[in-house]
Amino acid sequence: MTPSKQQIEQFKKLPKAQQEELAKRYGIDLESLDGKTKGNQQKNEKKSSILPRDQKDLLEEETEEDKYKPKLEELKPFGYELFAGEPTTFMPSELAAIPDTYLLGIGDMVKINLYGKTNEEHEVQIDREGRLAIPNLSPIHVIGLSFKELKALISKKIAEEMIGVQAFVSMGELNPMRIMVVGEAYKPGSYTVSPLATVTHALFVSGGVSDNGSLRKIQVKRAGELVTTFDLYDLLLFGDSSDDVVLKPGDVVFIPPAAKKIKVKGEVNRQAIFELKDSDSLDSVLAMSGGFKANANKSKVVVSRYNGDGKRITLNYNFTQNTSYKPQNGDEISVNAASTRFQNTVTVVGAVTSPGHYEWHQGKTLKDVFSAPREDLLSIADFGYSLIIREVNFKGDIDILQFSLQDIFDGKSGDIALSSNDTIVVFSRYQLREEEEQLLDNLAYNKEQLKLRENVKLWEQFERDEFLKYIGLKEDELFELEEEVKLITSIDALFEEPEEIEEEDYAVFSRQKLLTPIVAKLQRQATPTEPAKLFAVNGQVKFPGVYPLAKQANFQKAVQAAGGFLEAAYLEQVELTRVVYNDGKQVEHIQFNGLDELTAPTHALTSKDTVNIFPRPNWQDRLQVKVVGEVKFPGTYTIKRGETMESLLARVGGLNEFAHKEAAIFTRESIKRKETSQIQRLTQELRRDIITNTFQKSETANTSMPYEDMDKILKDLSKVEALGRLVVNLDKRSTQTLQLEDGDALYIPAMQDSVSVIGEVNLAATHLFDPSKSVDDYIKASGGLKQKADDERIYIIKANGSVELPSSGTWFAVNSNAGQLAPGDTIVVPLDAQHIDSLTLWSTATQIIYQLGLAAASIATLNN
């Protein structure tokens, strides 16, 4: 059996098990039934006859070279891409409600549901004669009727011929119709469309309008008569679809070419090429472009057009007023951006809680900007030095006004009236980032204070770019000029930092960072008649360097700019160095009393002046020496310049009864640096001599030191740490009158009862002191000399660090050296230099190693 469509729909609503049972009973193939259903669905799906436009066809093939060429954004015609083969909401759906005005056509399906005495459902098609044959009823002629009239006619006929039965009428599948799309369509031709299709649907199925087609004069013709003219701009710009009429079979949609076009570009909301109609005005053109942007300069709009002679001319219009502008074919309207510079604005940057732009009005002063110092300024702000940067001409040249926030808040100086576009710079009172962050860490106890810390980062995110833009510099230009700033005057040394500091180590709002662009700007605007407005402060101030020369600058303002005096500053005599050009370059030195100048300024600063603040005479930092060992009060002592060893020994209470006075060790930092240099030089000389002797060595020579031994001595020598020992004898007057220096150290060891033997002996050892024994006796007690020992250069290192040679005479004479040794002495047996081809420097090297090693061991014992 072949089930009807109605039976299939009822069958699909049954559970799966019942479907299988009924299919088995009546011999129905479920798979073929599903395939038939899917086939009907695919048949009902409408496909566009035009595929999407391939964008590659519209563009020239891009070469490898074109990828790297700068590309300008070209204006595109407005509205053409909307129907360019892409599915849109304008495509009508078969499931849409059928309007009552729909006119029935041949092939349309009508669904009739009967209910009441009988329940039936019929789907009947209008035949070629325009008749509708309802089962069990006589046919009726329906062609040309509207859907509303059809419903009324069928309801009346059912009521008359079937008593007790009512009808519900709806439309089924509609018979498609054919229309023509001609003219400047993307794909003109004949198309089959839904009978509900409108003009926009016709544009969709034909692929839209070609680049030369008109969007504003689309015509619908029926039987040769013009039905309507559709302006697509009404739909695209204002959503008006009143002229988007429903097409009828045989209608022709004609797209004429676009006759007039206009370009609108620049600061408008919609840049494009628009089509013009004769009735268009300036208002309609602005409506097409979406109006002006907020930054548009409406008073200086540029219009480019062709005159009557075919020449391109430029016209300027003020669109803020009534204008005589009339759009013409080929016009190109360019709306430029207004200036991005702020007007009637005061900009605040630096160590403030809320940096940025503020409103300016006539009479506004600094107190209006900083009304609450604790709330408006960060805790790191410098209340003594701030600047106002003010433009003085259209070139962007600037003048500098210097002020002290503290003086203004205290009423010591008059409030400063601000001008439009002034920039206020508030510095940090710290130069290094580490010092600034340490303060912020100490102050950050709650969330509010932690939030204030985040304001420091605003410089890197906002203020620096805005400030450089205001100054008129770019970031790369700033880096190029930073080196030039150092060459402002011939006294270059005054402008150098005392030590090298990396750029990232400076505080965010330090003078180094905030002043760099200002100084660079002043340097660039300098001329032969207007020299660079800069001066320098050098010497005993917190922040020596180059500063902008403010109006009415004097010594007091120079000190404030440099952060104030250091403790060592000598104010009774201050020097002002001035460069004067009178038939040649001359340098003048003006000296005055700084204290008087602070209270009653008499010297005004000029361009490239240098203020020198000298240190106090004989001013030194804290001088300290260390005393360790067998004294009554060991420790670190602060001394004054010129203090002597005798005075120091008196302050420590003298030596105690266990002190070994003769073995005292005294070290000095300056001697230590000198010894380090000597050891390095000696090591280099030894290496050079080894290489020389290696090449000059005789072929018959059979006595040479092995390379391992030479390398070991060089390594030992390179590892030696200089002590800076000065040989002293506390009993001598020369030692007692020795003037002490910062970093000196005096080590007094305990009494020793031993004598040491080191060097080229079989067993280096320490022996109890015996005044009757000689040098030879102690060497014999240490196993005697080695084969490589130099018995002619044996020497004694005394307990106080001095070196003595044994008394003249035969080494092996009995008691020939008795009485020359003392407790704490060391006998050194050096290496015989002849074993390495008479390289005499080895004896010097071993002497330094032994002597420094003994002293270092003694000091280490005392410190422990």
Side-chain angles (χ1 to χ4, degrees):
M1 62 175 293
T2 302
S4 65
K5 185 176 180 180
Q6 182 179 4
Q7 290 174 330
I8 291 175
E9 293 297 329
Q10 293 177 353
F11 180 79
K12 291 171 63 178
K13 296 178 181 179
L14 296 175
K16 187 68 176 178
Q18 294 184 12
Q19 289 183 11
E20 293 176 352
E21 183 179 353
L22 290 175
K24 184 177 180 181
R25 181 185 303 177
Y26 294 104
I28 299 175
D29 187 2
L30 288 178
E31 294 183 359
S32 62
L33 186 63
D34 293 339
K36 183 178 180 181
T37 303
K38 294 179 180 179
N40 291 335
Q41 292 176 352
Q42 294 176 356
K43 181 179 179 181
N44 292 333
E45 290 180 357
K46 298 297 180 182
K47 295 183 178 180
S48 175
S49 59
I50 301 297
L51 296 176
R53 296 188 193 182
D54 190 355
Q55 298 298 324
K56 294 182 180 179
D57 296 339
L58 303 178
L59 300 174
E60 296 182 0
E61 186 174 354
E62 187 178 38
T63 63
E64 189 69 23
E65 183 180 358
D66 294 335
K67 295 180 181 180
Y68 304 101
K69 290 182 178 179
K71 298 178 181 178
L72 298 177
E73 184 178 357
E74 297 183 0
L75 294 183
K76 296 181 180 180
F78 172 70
Y80 286 83
E81 71 281 359
L82 184 61
F83 300 103
E86 298 290 344
T88 68
T89 56
F90 296 110
M91 182 176 180
S93 172
E94 296 293 344
L95 299 178
I98 306 298
D100 289 340
T101 58
Y102 173 71
L103 298 180
L104 300 175
I106 296 174
D108 286 350
M109 300 295 293
V110 180
K111 291 184 178 181
I112 304 172
N113 286 37
L114 302 178
Y115 59 94
K117 184 185 299 185
T118 179
N119 292 324
E120 298 178 2
E121 180 179 348
H122 303 287
E123 187 172 7
V124 188
Q125 187 178 32
I126 300 176
D127 60 17
R128 295 181 180 273
E129 302 297 329
R131 296 176 301 177
L132 189 66
I134 305 175
N136 302 323
L137 297 176
S138 60
I140 55 176
H141 195 275
V142 297
I143 195 70
L145 297 179
S146 65
F147 179 47
K148 182 178 181 181
E149 293 171 340
L150 174 67
K151 290 188 291 184
L153 178 61
I154 293 178
S155 297
K156 180 180 179 182
K157 188 174 182 63
I158 295 294
E160 290 176 351
E161 300 184 14
M162 300 181 69
I163 301 174
V165 178
Q166 294 183 354
F168 176 79
V169 182
S170 63
M171 296 299 299
E173 183 178 354
L174 303 180
N175 192 39
M177 64 179 182
R178 295 193 68 82
I179 62 170
M180 293 287 293
V181 182
V182 296
E184 298 297 329
Y186 178 65
K187 293 290 185 181
S190 176
Y191 295 95
T192 301
V193 296
S194 167
L196 300 178
T198 63
V199 179
T200 53
H201 186 211
L203 296 177
F204 170 77
V205 296
S206 62
V209 182
S210 69
D211 294 341
N212 296 325
S214 172
L215 297 183
R216 310 196 65 183
K217 297 179 181 180
I218 301 175
Q219 301 176 3
V220 178
K221 295 185 177 181
R222 186 172 299 154
E225 299 292 333
L226 181 63
V227 177
T228 184
T229 300
F230 182 33
D231 188 348
L232 197 57
Y233 276 21
D234 292 340
L235 176 64
L236 299 179
L237 297 176
F238 310 109
D240 183 5
S241 62
S242 57
D243 291 332
D244 188 16
V245 297
V246 178
L247 301 177
K248 292 186 178 181
D251 281 358
V252 176
V253 178
F254 174 67
I255 306 173
K260 299 180 180 180
K261 293 183 178 181
I262 187 173
K263 286 184 179 181
V264 182
K265 64 181 183 179
E267 301 305 317
V268 292
N269 292 311
R270 186 186 298 116
Q271 299 184 79
I273 301 174
F274 300 97
E275 184 181 350
L276 277 180
K277 294 174 68 175
D278 294 337
S279 59
D280 282 333
S281 63
L282 174 61
D283 293 338
S284 59
V285 172
L286 293 179
M288 296 177 195
S289 63
F292 295 107
K293 290 184 179 180
N295 63 334
N297 188 354
K298 295 180 284 186
S299 62
K300 294 182 179 179
V301 178
V302 179
V303 178
S304 176
R305 67 168 44 157
Y306 292 99
N307 62 7
D309 298 333
K311 297 179 180 179
R312 196 75 175 172
I313 61 174
T314 300
L315 304 173
N316 292 329
Y317 289 94
N318 185 352
F319 284 175
T320 60
Q321 303 174 354
N322 293 330
T323 177
S324 60
Y325 174 72
K326 175 68 176 176
Q328 295 185 13
N329 182 31
D331 279 1
E332 182 176 309
I333 301 177
S334 299
V335 183
N336 297 319
S339 174
T340 57
R341 297 193 61 180
F342 289 95
Q343 302 295 327
N344 296 331
T345 302
V346 173
T347 304
V348 182
V349 298
V352 294
T353 56
S354 300
H357 305 290
Y358 293 87
E359 178 189 3
W360 174 85
H361 57 78
Q362 193 67 36
K364 189 166 188 174
T365 64
L366 280 173
K367 281 189 176 181
D368 297 328
V369 177
F370 303 111
S371 56
R374 289 186 177 274
E375 298 177 5
D376 298 334
L377 300 170
L378 295 178
S379 57
I380 59 175
D382 189 341
F383 281 73
Y385 179 61
S386 300
L387 297 179
I388 297 176
I389 303 172
R390 179 167 296 171
E391 282 191 357
V392 294
N393 54 33
F394 293 112
K395 295 189 301 182
D397 292 344
I398 59 174
D399 268 348
I400 306 297
L401 280 72
Q402 180 179 329
F403 64 94
S404 168
L405 286 169
Q406 189 66 54
D407 291 345
I408 292 178
F409 294 144
D410 294 343
K412 294 181 180 180
S413 61
D415 198 3
I416 300 178
L418 300 174
S419 298
S420 177
N421 299 328
D422 277 355
T423 295
I424 303 172
V425 184
V426 179
F427 298 91
S428 169
R429 64 177 182 271
Y430 297 100
Q431 187 79 332
L432 299 180
R433 183 188 293 267
E434 182 181 359
E435 299 172 347
E436 188 177 86
E437 291 179 349
Q438 183 178 3
L439 173 69
L440 293 174
D441 289 338
N442 294 336
L443 292 179
Y445 295 116
N446 52 45
K447 292 183 178 180
E448 289 74 14
Q449 291 168 340
L450 287 171
K451 186 176 181 181
L452 286 179
R453 292 181 55 188
E454 296 299 322
N455 288 302
V456 176
K457 300 178 181 178
L458 292 177
W459 169 258
E460 298 170 355
Q461 300 172 0
F462 166 75
E463 296 182 48
R464 187 169 179 82
D465 292 339
E466 291 293 326
F467 187 51
L468 291 178
K469 187 187 300 182
Y470 175 80
I471 293 298
L473 288 176
K474 297 180 180 178
E475 193 75 20
D476 53 353
E477 294 177 342
L478 175 62
F479 293 148
E480 293 174 0
L481 289 171
E482 284 180 349
E483 294 299 326
E484 297 179 9
V485 173
K486 300 179 181 179
L487 305 177
I488 295 174
T489 71
S490 60
I491 314 175
D492 298 335
L494 299 179
F495 302 146
E496 296 177 357
E497 292 291 339
E499 57 182 12
E500 191 69 25
I501 301 176
E502 298 295 334
E503 183 67 22
E504 59 270 15
D505 294 335
Y506 286 106
V508 177
F509 306 125
S510 64
R511 286 163 167 78
Q512 173 69 21
K513 284 197 172 184
L514 294 184
L515 284 178
T516 298
I518 303 175
V519 172
K521 175 67 175 179
L522 293 172
Q523 180 73 2
R524 290 185 60 181
Q525 73 183 38
T527 64
T529 57
E530 293 289 337
K533 297 178 181 179
L534 300 169
F535 71 95
V537 183
N538 181 64
Q540 299 302 310
V541 289
K542 292 182 179 179
F543 310 117
V546 178
Y547 291 92
L549 183 66
K551 289 186 176 181
Q552 300 177 353
N554 52 31
F555 177 69
Q556 182 181 10
K557 288 189 176 182
V559 174
Q560 290 176 338
F565 299 110
L566 294 178
E567 182 184 2
Y570 181 70
L571 302 182
E572 285 76 7
Q573 182 175 327
V574 176
E575 184 178 81
L576 175 63
T577 302
R578 177 167 296 168
V579 180
V580 181
Y581 295 91
N582 290 329
D583 299 330
K585 185 176 180 181
Q586 298 179 358
V587 179
E588 294 182 355
H589 302 289
I590 305 171
Q591 296 183 345
F592 52 86
N593 188 302
L595 295 175
D596 296 339
E597 191 70 17
L598 288 176
T599 56
T602 58
H603 294 86
L605 298 183
T606 61
S607 175
K608 299 183 181 179
D609 280 356
T610 301
V611 179
N612 301 312
I613 310 297
F614 300 112
R616 295 180 184 178
N618 300 323
W619 173 267
Q620 298 289 334
D621 294 331
R622 189 178 181 185
L623 304 180
Q624 292 182 330
V625 297
K626 182 169 65 172
V627 181
V628 180
E630 302 300 328
V631 295
K632 291 184 178 180
F633 306 109
T636 301
Y637 288 82
T638 300
I639 63 172
K640 63 182 179 180
R641 190 173 184 183
E643 190 165 346
T644 63
M645 179 74 76
E646 184 180 17
S647 173
L648 177 63
L649 290 175
R651 292 175 61 186
V652 301
L655 308 181
N656 58 31
E657 64 273 19
F658 305 105
H660 190 180
K661 183 189 299 185
E662 292 76 12
I665 301 174
F666 181 79
T667 63
R668 175 161 287 179
E669 290 297 322
S670 59
I671 299 177
K672 180 179 179 180
R673 291 191 295 269
K674 185 177 180 180
E675 286 181 353
T676 301
S677 176
Q678 290 176 343
I679 293 174
Q680 292 175 353
R681 185 176 67 253
L682 177 61
T683 304
Q684 294 174 357
E685 292 176 355
L686 287 174
R687 291 187 181 277
R688 183 181 64 248
D689 290 342
I690 289 175
I691 296 174
T692 302
N693 280 271
T694 301
F695 285 104
Q696 295 178 353
K697 184 171 62 176
S698 171
E699 296 181 358
T700 59
N702 54 7
T703 57
S704 61
M705 174 179 282
Y707 174 79
E708 292 77 8
D709 294 344
M710 293 188 294
D711 185 60
K712 182 176 183 304
I713 294 179
L714 286 175
K715 288 182 178 180
D716 291 342
L717 186 60
S718 63
K719 295 178 182 179
V720 170
E721 182 178 357
L723 294 178
R725 182 175 184 179
L726 177 64
V727 177
V728 295
N729 187 337
L730 298 181
D731 292 329
K732 290 186 177 181
R733 185 60 185 171
S734 59
T735 300
Q736 295 175 356
T737 59
L738 175 65
Q739 292 188 356
L740 301 178
E741 297 180 2
D742 184 42
D744 286 351
L746 178 62
Y747 303 88
I748 308 296
M751 183 63 68
Q752 302 178 30
D753 294 326
S754 61
V755 173
S756 299
V757 181
I758 61 175
E760 296 302 315
V761 292
N762 289 313
L763 179 62
T766 301
H767 308 274
L768 287 174
F769 174 71
D770 186 349
S772 62
K773 286 185 178 182
S774 64
V775 172
D776 180 55
D777 295 333
Y778 286 109
I779 291 176
K780 289 181 179 179
S782 299
L785 301 176
K786 288 184 178 180
Q787 182 180 0
K788 297 180 181 180
D790 191 346
D791 58 356
E792 296 182 358
R793 291 190 173 90
I794 296 175
Y795 57 91
I796 303 170
I797 300 178
K798 304 297 289 182
N800 64 355
S802 62
V803 178
E804 292 184 3
L805 295 177
S807 299
S808 59
T810 305
W811 273 108
F812 301 101
V814 180
N815 296 331
S816 60
N817 305 105
Q820 186 176 8
L821 296 175
D825 289 353
T826 301
I827 302 172
V828 180
V829 181
L831 179 69
D832 186 0
Q834 292 180 354
H835 285 277
I836 50 173
D837 301 332
S838 301
L839 188 57
T840 57
L841 287 175
W842 287 111
S843 59
T844 307
T846 53
Q847 178 179 342
I848 292 176
I849 293 174
Y850 295 147
Q851 188 172 2
L852 292 178
L854 291 173
S858 301
I859 294 175
T861 303
L862 292 173
N863 289 329
N864 292 334

